[in-house]
Amino acid sequence: SLLPHFSGQPVDPVRLDRLLEKLKPALRHLDQEVLATKPFLATEQLSLADLMAFTELMQPTAVGCDIFQDWPRLAAWRARVEAALGPELVQDAHRLVLQPRDPRDAQRDPKLAQELVQRLLERL
């Protein structure tokens, strides 16, 4: 969980290691089986499956973990997803997902999330 990061508290390294250890089988499956025969997760083109997985897999980077470093196909997939989305959209998405935010921001500006979703849908 990245809750401590978003609340401004330090991340417990022991707990983080345990969580990353639990993630390894899924990363191995994606790298060695799913991405072994195709460029994206579900089809030959970027799909909603890629966007969902990309969002989830990028979260550990908020606490300085590069989960892609040991998985070459997964790292190449990440590069393909980022290239398909374009650098501006990737940067905006990372800013919204990874930066600590006040939860009330979404209530103050609900159009922010809707705008990002619309831009993602236009890329599909």
Side-chain angles (χ1 to χ4, degrees):
S1 168
L2 296 176
L3 185 57
H5 171 72
F6 291 116
S7 65
Q9 301 297 315
V11 175
D12 177 0
V14 174
R15 184 164 185 223
L16 181 61
D17 285 345
R18 278 192 306 231
L19 290 171
L20 292 174
E21 209 46 49
K22 289 181 181 180
L23 187 58
K24 278 186 181 179
L27 296 174
R28 183 178 300 109
H29 174 72
L30 289 173
D31 187 81
Q32 296 176 2
E33 295 176 37
V34 176
L35 294 169
T37 59
K38 56 189 172 220
F40 294 101
L41 298 179
T43 68
E44 296 294 315
Q45 297 178 8
L46 184 71
S47 71
L48 185 56
D50 296 290
L51 297 177
M52 298 294 290
F54 180 75
T55 301
E56 291 299 318
L57 293 175
M58 288 307 295
Q59 289 182 21
T61 64
V63 292
C65 293
D66 181 4
I67 62 167
F68 299 95
Q69 67 185 359
D70 296 327
W71 311 104
R73 288 187 189 114
L74 201 55
W77 165 81
R78 173 188 174 181
R80 285 190 295 275
V81 170
E82 289 180 340
L85 294 175
E88 182 182 316
L89 185 55
V90 169
Q91 186 176 22
D92 287 350
H94 286 186
R95 182 177 46 79
L96 290 172
V97 172
L98 300 179
Q99 285 183 352
R101 299 174 61 93
D102 185 330
R104 294 170 293 187
D105 286 352
Q107 293 172 344
R108 283 188 225 128
D109 189 6
K111 291 190 333 183
L112 193 62
Q114 290 173 350
E115 179 182 317
L116 182 59
V117 168
Q118 183 60 40
R119 289 171 62 192
L120 288 170
L121 290 175
E122 289 170 3
R123 297 283 179 148
L124 293 179

